[in-house]
Amino acid sequence: MDQSHIRNFSIIAHIDHGKSTLADRILQLTGAVSERDMRAQVLDSMDLERERGITIKAQAVRVTYTAEDGEAYQLNLIDTPGHVDFSYEVSRSLAACEGALLVVDASQGIEAQTLANAYLAIEGDLHLVPVLNKIDLPAADPDLHARALADLIGDDPEHVLRISAKTGQGVKDVLEAIITRMPPPDGDRTAPLRALVFDSVYDQYRGVVAFVRVMDGGIRTGDRVRAMATGSGFDAEEVGVMSPAMTPIGHLSAGESGYIVTGLKSLVDLRVGDTLTLAREPAPEPLPGYREAKPMVFCGLFPVESDEYPDLRDALDKLSLNDASLVWEPETSQALGFGFRCGFLGLLHMDIIRERLEREYDLSLIATTPNVEYEVTRTTGEVLAVRSPVDLPEPNHIERIEEPYVRCSMLTPQDSVGAVMGLCQERRGTFVTMTSIENRQQVVYDMPLAEVVLDFYDQLKSRTRGYASLDYEMVGNREGPLVKLDILLAGEPVDALSMIVHRDSAYARGKGLVERLREIIPRQMFDVPVQAAIGGTVIARETVKAKRKDVLAKCYGGDISRKRKLLEKQKEGKKRMKHVGNVEVPQEAFLAVLQLDGQSTR
Amino acid sequence: MRSGEPGGVAHLYVHLPFCAARCGYCAFVVEVGRDDARDAYLDAVLAELERERGRLGALETLYLGGGTPTLMGAGRLSALLAAISPLLAPGAEVTIEANPETVDQNLMAALAGAGVNRVSLGVQSTHPHLLGVLDRQAGPDDAARAVRAVRAAGIPRLSVDLLLGVPGQSQADLAADLAWVTEVGPDHVSWYELEFKEGSAIASGPHLPPDEDMSADLYEEAVEGLEAAGYRWYELANFCRPGAECRHSLAYWRARDYVGLGVGAVSTVGGGRWRNAPGLDRYVAALGRGDAPPRTQEPLDADTRRRERWMLGTRVDEPLDMAWAGSPDRPAALDVLEAGGLLERGRGTVRLTRRGRLLQNAVMQEIMDF
Ligand SMILES: Nc1nc2c(ncn2[C@@H]2O[C@H](COP(=O)(O)OP(=O)(O)OP(=O)(O)O)[C@@H](O)[C@H]2O)c(=O)[nH]1
Ligand SMILES: C[S@@+](CC[C@H](N)C(=O)[O-])C[C@H]1O[C@@H](n2cnc3c(N)ncnc32)[C@H](O)[C@@H]1O
Ligand code: SF4
Ligand SMILES: [Mg+2]
């Protein structure tokens, strides 16, 4: 289609502000999805997305819209996820667009991801169309929020659309605004092909499918294609568009988005952000790509039953076929046996992967405390990336340790600013700035990522009665006085319970942790000392007192089987325990650190 | 299925399920409000006895348990005992369970006349408030009266059942139970820890079992108190004056064969175990037709039997003979447990220490692969 009749845009917003629901209405209004096939958040097709009611993966769709001017337009829309773990998907999506719908819940107003995503779009020179959604809600305050939203993006409050994605009210105006306010693409169709890969999936039958935005030139089915960064080549086996099912159309030209079936066997062969060009007429320069999504959080995943180790490896293999941000390498623990150290984009990502492994692959897993990646310089000058506390060298071999910092932006009601700042201070944050945004404050702190990944978000929510929102982005590594905290059971260090903590919080962490472990570890036949230690010095100690008595069922009237079955049942319970030396440790113990406020409870 | 012991089965249990009401903690096979069916039930039990007679040898022990056996009434019990007496060996132990409020001198005299020489009295507690928590029919004075009746009838042996770990029971409450036992002086005491059994009313709240330390304190108090009063702690929950062990229970703990008659009753003979299904009417109907009662069979393989011998044999204070019981699944555990003071070893024998007895489950888990 002629470029003047094409619009490429993303839908961006804070979590749950209604992006996917708005996409539903657009699909419906343009007839892309029939009434019969329509269901809520139709683009959220993964089971987990549907269950959790959130978008995890960005989805691109093409629809055709006949505007008020009587002309037919090709709209390429991308619905993006709102959760901070997946914000890299937003950046990728924006790179494929000229415009974005910035959606804000009219009952909640601007939130942390609204800001983050708006800034991303503005930096990318995209044209923003502001949309206040959910005006059907009684608590909606469109006037107040329209002003703030207009302020944020330097627009006129009159330009802020007021809609309900739920009822469909105002959605037509959104489509008109897309046509009239967003610029069409202006690629050079005669130039050599340059297509940005903004997403890719692995299909069991067809191999890697690339989602591309064609910037210059064009591509046809059968063309020989080269990926400019990785250098891999392939034949475009099929060229088409998502509408929303895969529909072959044979050709994509500058300004258009669609998919290419590459036949490649692994996502590694085709990096998201790469530029595709034609082998027979290559472009001289690739498009500016974007940085790869880097795992930020690591944890050990171990099968509860050691014979499930090969199954776990296969499952990770399969999941990473479609999730290039999931990384893993084998790890061995004295306490937990063979497993994998896995890297994730954040805690939600970790949670999702774990749930998929357990559910889709029927595995039962123990996850160790998540940690970040430390950059450790040895006294020899050698620099190591440490992703597991176990890999931390002895203290006297360490010159310095750096840990990743993130810039946290929190949006909070005025009366909770003190609570938010208190929390950030406790978590080793350094104040950056504070700005007022409509009736709220944006509080910005630089914080060690390690302090954010544990339970920071939960704490933030609970200390602000649920009103604060959080967004963060990496700002690089900083040095800190970090130490390894070891936990010893019956005198033996348990590798899977070690963690790297700030020296000043080591005592409180250690004390809190041994107290929790004392509660979680069932009484055994002998006293079990539970100790926290730093470099061999015990800093906290508790004792799980020896068990004194079992429930001693009798065998009345010769009912011996009943008693035997009670023992058999007990045995089942014991099977779920891990043996660490002589001590039986329930699986929850390995997550004890997570449920901890970082502080002693006494 | 292997055949039973040479000479036939020497231990017979008869289940008499009728009760006036179901106590809140009870999950046994019990029939409430079915007194009308007692005659038919007696006939059915006698019919089952006929069917099983071939397995029985000279009976060393007979145990009439329940339910509340005394609710059968003197006539039916006498008829039952009359049918069984020809099978009894000389000097056989004949026990009947009795709820205190159902005991009177006439009944006891009739039972004595029919051959009963041991009464097991379900006292449970001497405190009105705890009897209330347990939903018992008996009041605190019923027990003393029942004891007098048993003795007046000349029944030589008396056991009392008590419970510990009843919600709300303090150490002082238990001390009062102890004082009562010492004063009454039965030759045998069963002091069971109250179990919160699935399906019983008490298990569905609001009461909670005491925590481990509290129940251990109570248990130790009961053991020490009875020992001070001259009783031997001869099984986890059982105590006796010298020579007054319950021979019927010992047969279970020694993994001997036994036959059980009546609804819900269990039998173990040779390599097999079967359980009569609960349900009075089905039981009566089947035997009325001349059929076997509805049963579930449980084959016992050699490993199961071996594990059961350990499980049962370590309950008592007599050393377990490993040559008889069979080898432990994890022999190395014996060393660890011995070093930890949980068991003692003799020549080819094993016996739990006092601490080990309170941890019998855990000890079993260490030694055997259940
Ligand atoms: N009342 C009302 N509810 C809405 C409206 N739009 C969306 N919702 C509801 O808001 C919730 C979130 O909607 P989604 O469309 O999943 O939000 P999202 O922005 O895609 O969420 P993420 O993908 O997780 O970031 C759902 O329960 C929707 O039904 C609206 O206009 N009015
Ligand atoms: C099956 S009962 C029958 C005896 C008689 N009907 C009575 O209640 O006294 C035998 C003994 O088991 C004990 N008992 C019953 N339910 C129990 C429970 N839930 N936990 C522990 N012991 C229990 C009581 O001490 C009772 O005396
Ligand atoms: S405890 Fe005894 S009296 Fe009470 S219901 Fe059970 S068998 Fe009957
Ligand atoms: Mg969504």
Side-chain angles (χ1 to χ4, degrees):
Chain A
M1 193 176 280
D2 176 50
Q3 290 194 71
S4 64
H5 285 70
I6 299 176
R7 299 290 183 276
N8 293 294
F9 66 97
S10 296
I11 310 181
I12 56 177
H14 190 74
I15 311 173
D16 275 352
H17 280 201
K19 296 174 290 292
S20 301
T21 308
L22 176 55
D24 286 350
R25 293 296 85 75
I26 294 177
L27 292 178
Q28 235 172 349
L29 220 86
T30 57
V33 175
S34 70
E35 293 301 325
R36 190 168 48 84
D37 294 336
M38 196 61 216
R39 52 178 183 170
Q41 291 98 39
V42 72
L43 294 181
D44 291 344
S45 49
M46 289 163 59
D47 284 351
L48 270 167
E49 292 185 312
R50 301 206 62 80
E51 259 165 47
R52 296 181 182 227
I54 57 168
T55 303
I56 294 170
K57 211 160 167 38
Q59 287 288 343
V61 202
R62 171 186 293 192
V63 300
T64 306
Y65 172 63
T66 308
E68 309 258 275
D69 62 11
E71 310 267 318
Y73 289 86
Q74 177 195 114
L75 306 184
N76 296 300
L77 84 83
I78 307 178
D79 179 24
T80 64
H83 194 278
V84 57
D85 277 12
F86 304 108
S87 59
Y88 71 98
E89 298 244 346
V90 179
S91 342
R92 292 170 178 189
S93 308
L94 292 175
C97 300
E98 286 78 40
L101 295 176
L102 179 60
V103 178
V104 172
D105 182 328
S107 68
Q108 310 216 297
I110 291 169
E111 299 280 7
Q113 263 97 47
T114 318
L115 296 178
N117 291 339
Y119 296 148
L120 278 177
I122 291 167
E123 269 168 44
D125 265 344
L126 268 72
H127 189 94
L128 279 172
V129 171
V131 178
L132 276 177
N133 184 30
K134 308 198 189 182
I135 56 165
D136 58 297
L137 288 177
D141 190 347
D143 292 333
L144 173 72
H145 298 307
R147 249 176 284 124
L149 184 50
D151 272 359
L152 172 65
I153 61 172
D155 205 340
D156 184 339
E158 292 299 306
H159 282 166
V160 177
L161 301 172
R162 301 173 179 207
I163 71 159
S164 166
K166 188 174 169 187
T167 65
Q169 182 189 348
V171 175
K172 186 115 182 120
D173 301 336
V174 174
L175 289 169
E176 286 300 319
I178 291 166
I179 307 294
T180 54
R181 296 197 217 162
M182 288 184 190
D186 61 352
D188 182 351
R189 288 191 166 174
T190 60
L193 170 70
R194 290 202 300 172
L196 175 70
V197 181
F198 64 85
D199 199 1
S200 60
V201 298
Y202 180 81
D203 181 288
Q204 206 182 335
Y205 305 106
R206 324 187 71 178
V208 174
V209 178
F211 293 94
V212 299
R213 159 68 199 273
V214 181
M215 295 299 184
D216 296 318
I219 179 172
R220 284 181 186 285
T221 302
D223 279 344
R224 181 73 194 165
V225 178
R226 201 159 59 77
M228 296 180 78
T230 59
S232 50
F234 59 87
D235 293 325
E237 291 176 7
E238 183 178 307
V239 174
V241 295
M242 308 296 289
S243 65
M246 281 172 97
T247 313
I249 58 167
H251 182 256
L252 288 172
S253 313
E256 297 184 315
S257 305
Y259 70 85
I260 301 169
V261 175
T262 67
L264 292 171
K265 288 289 160 257
S266 156
L267 288 188
V268 183
D269 301 330
L270 184 69
R271 281 225 301 273
V272 169
D274 208 340
T275 301
L276 301 183
T277 191
L278 292 183
R280 61 168 189 272
E281 187 197 354
E285 288 288 322
L287 297 161
Y290 25 75
R291 61 182 166 79
E292 268 179 83
K294 255 187 60 186
M296 308 237 263
V297 177
F298 299 82
C299 81
L301 287 181
F302 294 85
V304 172
E305 308 286 352
S306 55
D307 57 359
E308 282 188 350
Y309 175 79
D311 302 339
L312 175 57
R313 192 189 45 226
D314 291 350
L316 282 169
D317 237 338
K318 292 212 180 87
L319 282 188
S320 28
L321 278 180
N322 243 328
D323 186 346
S325 53
L326 168 66
V327 302
W328 44 280
E329 62 203 18
E331 178 174 56
T332 316
S333 154
Q334 277 158 13
L336 300 177
F338 292 107
F340 297 92
R341 176 121 308 233
C342 304
F344 309 94
L345 299 167
L347 280 194
L348 176 66
H349 188 216
M350 167 172 147
D351 210 42
I352 287 170
I353 295 293
R354 206 174 70 151
E355 190 174 330
R356 291 188 63 184
L357 288 169
E358 297 207 310
R359 246 214 325 222
E360 295 169 28
Y361 298 90
D362 201 22
L363 297 164
S364 135
L365 300 176
I366 296 178
T368 62
T369 318
N371 56 260
V372 299
E373 178 173 300
Y374 297 91
E375 193 180 290
V376 178
T377 310
R378 283 179 177 273
T379 42
T380 58
E382 186 195 352
V383 179
L384 321 169
V386 171
R387 294 174 165 188
S388 166
V390 184
D391 299 334
L392 197 67
E394 288 301 313
N396 56 336
H397 292 150
I398 297 178
E399 177 72 36
R400 55 196 252 122
I401 306 182
E402 289 187 7
E403 61 179 326
Y405 267 66
V406 286
R407 179 152 299 174
C408 288
S409 155
M410 288 143 290
L411 224 62
T412 176
Q414 202 67 51
D415 61 359
S416 301
V417 168
V420 170
M421 294 181 73
L423 175 64
C424 294
Q425 224 74 50
E426 275 169 31
R427 300 299 171 93
R428 304 194 275 133
T430 41
F431 178 79
V432 179
T433 175
M434 183 150 83
T435 329
S436 48
I437 292 192
E438 53 179 338
N439 55 351
R440 276 175 298 167
Q441 291 293 328
Q442 181 191 26
V443 182
V444 181
Y445 267 82
D446 281 351
M447 310 246 300
L449 176 61
E451 300 285 345
V452 179
V453 293
L454 279 185
D455 60 345
F456 182 78
Y457 186 66
D458 294 341
Q459 284 294 317
L460 181 70
K461 282 283 177 195
S462 83
R463 295 195 195 183
T464 60
R465 282 167 291 124
Y467 282 118
S469 55
L470 164 71
D471 188 77
Y472 57 81
E473 56 175 346
M474 285 293 260
V475 287
N477 284 344
R478 294 186 194 171
E479 187 178 358
L482 299 164
V483 293
K484 177 156 152 251
L485 180 66
D486 290 315
I487 299 294
L488 292 81
L489 292 183
E492 294 294 321
V494 183
D495 54 5
L497 286 174
S498 293
M499 54 183 177
I500 296 172
V501 296
H502 189 270
R503 199 181 46 212
D504 295 346
S505 55
Y507 175 73
R509 280 276 167 89
K511 187 160 153 49
L513 190 53
V514 295
E515 280 171 13
R516 270 202 63 76
L517 287 170
R518 190 209 47 205
E519 285 162 18
I520 292 174
I521 296 173
R523 292 167 74 164
Q524 326 251 320
M525 288 214 271
F526 314 102
D527 278 358
V528 177
V530 183
Q531 296 161 304
I534 295 173
T537 310
V538 173
I539 57 166
R541 177 192 163 112
E542 292 279 339
T543 304
V544 178
K545 283 283 180 205
K547 196 174 169 61
R548 285 179 62 196
K549 202 184 120 296
D550 286 323
V551 176
L552 301 161
K554 57 182 191 294
C555 306
Y556 179 82
D559 194 355
I560 292 161
S561 301
R562 183 180 87 94
K563 168 82 189 179
R564 197 188 73 237
K565 283 173 185 155
L566 287 175
L567 286 172
E568 286 164 0
K569 214 165 126 190
Q570 223 174 45
K571 184 69 163 204
E572 284 303 303
K574 281 167 82 79
K575 270 202 195 143
R576 288 194 294 273
M577 302 266 198
K578 281 284 164 184
H579 285 262
V580 179
N582 266 336
V583 186
E584 281 171 359
V585 184
Q587 291 159 34
E588 307 94 87
F590 298 97
L591 280 179
V593 219
L594 262 186
Q595 290 127 22
L596 183 84
D597 185 13
Q599 307 299 320
S600 159
T601 46
R602 274 193 213 149
Chain B
M1 197 177 289
R2 268 191 299 135
S3 61
E5 291 159 4
V9 176
H11 306 280
L12 181 65
Y13 174 85
V14 181
H15 193 69
L16 302 168
F18 303 95
C19 285
R22 184 184 280 275
C23 307
Y25 59 95
C26 181
F28 289 104
V29 174
V30 157
E31 297 284 344
V32 175
R34 291 302 313 276
D35 292 3
D36 61 301
R38 288 178 295 177
D39 286 325
Y41 187 71
L42 174 63
D43 290 343
V45 168
L46 292 175
E48 194 186 9
L49 173 65
E50 277 318 306
R51 299 182 64 92
E52 302 303 332
R53 188 184 284 270
R55 301 182 198 271
L56 303 176
L59 294 176
E60 293 295 332
T61 69
L62 166 65
Y63 200 98
L64 308 185
T68 308
T70 39
L71 278 188
M72 287 295 279
R76 292 184 201 88
L77 289 170
S78 301
L80 178 63
L81 287 161
I84 299 173
S85 332
L87 300 172
L88 294 174
E93 174 190 276
V94 180
T95 307
I96 186 166
E97 267 176 354
N99 288 29
E101 72 282 7
T102 64
V103 171
D104 62 37
Q105 216 158 316
N106 291 339
L107 175 66
M108 289 301 119
L111 291 175
V116 168
N117 53 26
R118 188 170 180 273
V119 170
S120 167
L121 204 57
V123 175
Q124 321 308 355
S125 172
T126 60
H127 292 276
H129 76 278
L130 297 177
L131 289 170
V133 170
L134 294 168
D135 288 336
R136 293 291 286 180
Q137 304 287 311
D141 301 334
D142 287 332
R145 233 182 353 87
V147 170
R148 283 194 298 276
V150 171
R151 291 190 169 147
I155 295 177
R157 299 193 35 215
L158 172 68
S159 177
V160 300
D161 284 0
L162 290 164
L163 291 173
L164 61 79
V166 180
Q169 185 181 33
S170 67
Q171 291 195 262
D173 293 337
L174 191 131
D177 289 345
L178 265 175
W180 184 86
V181 172
T182 316
E183 189 192 311
V184 169
D187 57 17
H188 187 277
V189 177
S190 300
W191 209 323
Y192 299 117
E193 174 178 36
L194 181 67
E195 256 190 280
F196 281 59
K197 293 185 186 168
E198 211 177 307
S200 68
I202 204 170
S204 55
H207 295 295
L208 291 177
D211 69 20
E212 182 182 332
D213 282 314
M214 177 67 182
S215 71
D217 288 343
L218 291 169
Y219 215 105
E220 283 168 5
E221 185 184 348
V223 169
E224 283 159 22
L226 287 176
E227 285 182 332
Y231 292 88
R232 189 177 118 223
W233 184 23
Y234 78 102
E235 193 264 356
L236 297 184
N238 286 279
F239 305 82
C240 67
R241 288 271 159 80
E245 298 91 345
C246 174
R247 284 159 58 195
H248 187 80
S249 299
L250 274 178
Y252 296 142
W253 300 323
R254 288 172 178 164
R256 308 301 286 270
D257 286 350
Y258 55 89
V259 165
L261 305 178
V263 281
V266 179
S267 303
T268 304
V269 179
R273 179 169 297 152
W274 64 91
R275 171 195 304 268
N276 289 346
L280 183 70
D281 294 325
R282 278 193 299 162
Y283 176 81
V284 169
L287 285 151
R289 284 194 305 268
D291 292 341
R295 283 175 176 171
T296 49
Q297 298 286 343
E298 184 187 354
L300 300 172
D301 59 24
D303 278 339
T304 307
R305 288 295 274 166
R306 182 170 53 85
R307 290 183 186 123
E308 286 192 350
R309 282 194 290 269
W310 276 82
M311 176 186 93
L312 295 165
T314 53
R315 296 180 72 93
V316 290
D317 67 348
E318 57 193 18
L320 172 114
D321 179 356
M322 290 198 275
W324 166 77
S327 48
D329 289 328
R330 265 172 273 140
L334 296 180
D335 298 325
V336 180
L337 293 167
E338 187 171 35
L342 293 160
L343 63 76
E344 304 165 343
R345 280 196 282 188
R347 278 170 182 275
T349 65
V350 165
R351 180 166 75 160
L352 298 192
T353 61
R354 297 170 70 84
R355 198 179 146 233
R357 286 178 152 201
L358 293 198
L359 294 171
Q360 200 232 6
N361 291 354
V363 170
M364 276 305 102
Q365 298 287 6
E366 293 297 314
I367 302 178
M368 301 304 257
D369 289 321
F370 277 97

